[in-house]
């Protein structure tokens, strides 16, 4: 690669122009060369794409931008609505950070995004990668942006592993200098996502195969080496779905931690003992009869696995007033409350069973 950077860039950019996927957060192919993307759209797409596949993100991006077309619209939104629109994408801290970043842009920068990668990093949820992506794509700054795809491409091009990601950031920082830095970063990501894939890279189709040390050494399938898989801890929960007439009791989660401020059926850590009436009455605040186990749902996150044991029962009465943080709602009204994916699955289960325990 040394001394070949210019050739490498132009091969990659030519390939990108002809092969890039048409995605809603990119400018259309027909856009003039000097057209620039709205940094707000880049921020929304980059946060949605963290840990989530492109095909999943596309409809969410359309819905989100239709509802909040500008950074001002998002800054003025109610957090519950933002979470509701994000529902199903998971990793909800991204939605909260996006909302907080929009408020910061509006309140501290008069609605105009900072242009430099360094300054962008002051926005909630914007790390080194996202800052580099926004600065290069929206503002033409030759800032590197190294995500998992780009790191893999660089590792293979150089034909060796690196102890830390710093080597790839330094390397990407040198390569991005030149015309069209935003397209260059997007092209590196696109190459990693579509050609230099984790398994079975399509080297015959690769525009930069001539520069690849891994291919020259027959190491393209062996680099980077697979990381040892850690055993993720398992957490068990009892979920008590309590019904009275056509209403169900739900509660809001605490404002901090996983699934913060979202809603759920009454959910308790499972302590290994079977649920008894006294424990349920204390947790729910009502006598619950006909308690029946209905399902066990599993949910896996990057660093944790969950097992939800779902029970359904009937309350003999319901409090006249809602308790703090708890409300009785119909299944239709439930649509207005943001819920995590496992809790939404439980709601779907109730709807499909049309259960009536009252
Ligand atoms: Fe990746 Fe193969 Fe291209 Fe090397 S030649 S960068 S391994 S796709």
């Amino acid at each position: 690669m040394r001394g070949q950077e210019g050739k490498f860039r132009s091969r990659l950019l030519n390939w990108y122009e002809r092969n890039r996927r048409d995605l809603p957060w990119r400018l259309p192919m027909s856009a003039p060369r000097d057209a620039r993307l709205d940094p707000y759209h880049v921020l929304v797409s980059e946060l949605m794409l963290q840990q989530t596949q492109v095909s999943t993100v596309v409809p969410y991006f359309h819905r989100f931008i239709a509802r909040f077309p500008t950074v001002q619209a998002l800054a003025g939104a109610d957090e519950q609505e933002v979470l509701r629109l994000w529902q199903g994408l998971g990793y909800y801290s991204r939605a909260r950070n996006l909302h907080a970043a929009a408020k910061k842009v509006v309140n501290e920068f008069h609605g105009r995004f900072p242009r430099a990668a360094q300054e962008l990093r002051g926005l909630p949820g914007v790390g080194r990668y996202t800052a580099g992506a926004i600065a290069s794509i929206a503002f033409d700054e030759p800032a590197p942006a190294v995500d998992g795809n780009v790191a893999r491409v660089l590792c293979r091009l150089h034909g060796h592993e690196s102890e830390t990601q710093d080597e790839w950031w330094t390397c990407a920082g040198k390569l991005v200098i030149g015309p069209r830095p935003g397209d260059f970063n997007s092209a590196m990501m696109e190459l990693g996502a579509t050609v230099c894939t984790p398994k079975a890279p399509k080297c015959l189709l690769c525009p930069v195969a001539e520069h690849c040390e891994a291919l020259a050494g027959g190491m393209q399938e062996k680099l980077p080496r697979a990381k040892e898989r850690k055993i993720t801890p398992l957490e068990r929960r009892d979920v008590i779905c309590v019904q009275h007439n056509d209403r169900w009791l739900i509660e809001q989660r605490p404002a901090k931690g996983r699934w913060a401020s979202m809603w759920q059926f009454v959910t308790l850590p499972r302590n290994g003992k079977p649920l008894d009436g006294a424990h349920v009455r204390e947790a729910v605040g009502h006598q619950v009869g006909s308690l029946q186990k209905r399902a066990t749902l599993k949910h896996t996150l990057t660093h944790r696995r969950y097992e939800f044991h779902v029970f359904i029962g009937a309350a003999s009465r319901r409090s006249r007033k809602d308790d703090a943080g708890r409300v009785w709602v119909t299944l239709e009204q439930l649509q207005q409350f943001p819920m995590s994916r496992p809790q939404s699955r439980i709601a779907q289960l109730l709807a499909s069973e049309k259960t009536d325990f009252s």
Side-chain angles (χ1 to χ4, degrees):
M1 171 81 75
R2 196 162 294 157
Q4 300 277 306
E5 287 84 356
K7 253 191 196 162
F8 175 86
R9 285 184 107 265
S10 65
R11 282 180 174 147
L12 184 69
L13 285 166
N14 286 339
W15 169 83
Y16 181 63
E17 251 170 50
R18 278 182 273 114
N19 295 281
R20 65 179 208 152
R21 291 168 294 175
D22 203 5
L23 297 172
W25 47 87
R26 288 181 177 162
L27 286 170
M29 305 271 194
S30 53
R33 272 280 170 84
D34 57 352
R36 287 287 160 268
L37 275 169
D38 182 339
Y40 167 63
H41 290 198
V42 183
L43 175 65
V44 173
S45 65
E46 289 298 341
L47 288 189
M48 284 187 170
L49 286 163
Q50 286 170 14
Q51 324 247 21
T52 310
Q53 290 184 344
V54 166
S55 55
T56 307
V57 167
V58 168
Y60 279 89
F61 181 83
H62 280 304
R63 274 199 297 273
F64 201 89
I65 294 297
R67 176 65 190 86
F68 305 122
T70 61
V71 70
Q72 286 82 0
L74 178 58
D78 177 67
E79 186 189 73
Q80 291 280 298
E81 192 185 358
V82 177
L83 291 173
R84 183 74 206 151
L85 269 179
W86 202 272
Q87 186 166 309
L89 266 184
Y91 302 98
Y92 294 89
S93 57
R94 296 178 298 171
R96 270 184 284 273
N97 280 333
L98 177 57
H99 193 205
K103 286 183 184 167
K104 189 162 181 175
V105 169
V106 168
N107 297 332
E108 295 182 24
F109 296 95
H110 310 291
R112 296 170 74 93
F113 272 74
R115 299 173 69 90
Q118 198 54 37
E119 277 183 281
L120 283 160
R121 288 188 69 178
L123 298 178
V126 176
R128 196 176 179 188
Y129 162 77
T130 309
I134 300 172
S136 60
I137 295 170
F139 299 119
D140 253 351
E141 180 185 328
V146 179
D147 65 355
N149 280 328
V150 174
R152 181 175 61 255
V153 171
L154 290 170
C155 166
R156 286 174 176 165
L157 285 169
H158 288 79
H160 66 82
E161 296 273 3
S162 176
E163 285 297 307
T164 69
Q165 294 285 298
D166 285 349
E167 181 177 348
W168 305 139
W169 277 93
T170 307
C171 171
K174 289 179 188 154
L175 288 171
V176 75
I177 294 169
R180 300 165 59 199
D183 279 351
F184 177 81
N185 281 339
S186 300
M188 287 290 281
M189 296 171 207
E190 190 81 345
L191 188 72
T194 61
V195 175
C196 195
T197 44
K199 286 187 187 147
K202 305 171 189 72
C203 302
L204 284 174
L205 302 176
C206 180
V208 291
E210 256 184 55
H211 304 268
C212 183
E213 298 282 345
L215 180 63
M219 294 291 288
Q220 67 275 20
E221 305 243 9
K222 299 198 177 93
L223 285 174
R225 276 191 295 277
K227 291 206 182 82
E228 249 178 60
R229 286 196 133 195
K230 289 201 187 118
I231 296 171
T232 46
L234 173 68
E235 292 192 16
R236 293 188 172 90
R237 301 275 187 271
D238 285 325
V239 182
I240 307 166
C241 304
V242 188
Q243 185 185 28
H244 183 81
N245 296 331
D246 63 342
R247 296 192 177 242
W248 296 85
L249 183 63
I250 58 168
E251 61 186 9
Q252 190 168 28
R253 290 183 57 80
K256 291 230 177 318
R258 177 151 297 144
W259 300 312
S261 304
M262 300 181 83
W263 292 79
Q264 63 184 16
F265 297 97
V266 177
T267 300
L268 313 169
R270 178 162 258 235
N271 60 13
K273 294 186 210 148
L275 278 178
D276 64 34
H279 187 194
V280 171
R281 190 170 57 245
E282 193 191 334
V284 175
H286 301 279
Q287 186 75 38
V288 177
S290 335
L291 199 66
Q292 287 180 18
K293 171 94 185 268
R294 295 312 281 266
T296 302
L297 300 183
K298 295 189 174 173
H299 186 69
T300 304
L301 298 172
T302 316
H303 302 295
R304 207 157 293 271
R305 290 173 299 141
Y306 287 92
E307 205 171 84
F308 294 93
H309 298 262
V310 182
F311 296 83
I312 299 181
S316 48
R317 61 175 184 83
R318 74 181 169 96
S319 32
R320 233 172 272 147
K321 276 197 312 162
D322 292 328
D323 306 326
R326 283 188 175 173
V327 288
W328 291 90
V329 292
T330 62
L331 289 176
E332 288 72 35
Q333 288 168 337
L334 213 49
Q335 307 297 323
Q336 296 151 27
F337 293 82
M339 292 182 120
S340 65
R341 188 184 284 270
Q343 294 285 339
S344 300
R345 284 170 63 200
I346 295 169
Q348 281 163 13
L349 178 83
L350 299 181
S352 68
E353 287 197 350
K354 301 217 181 333
T355 316
D356 187 353
F357 282 80
S358 54

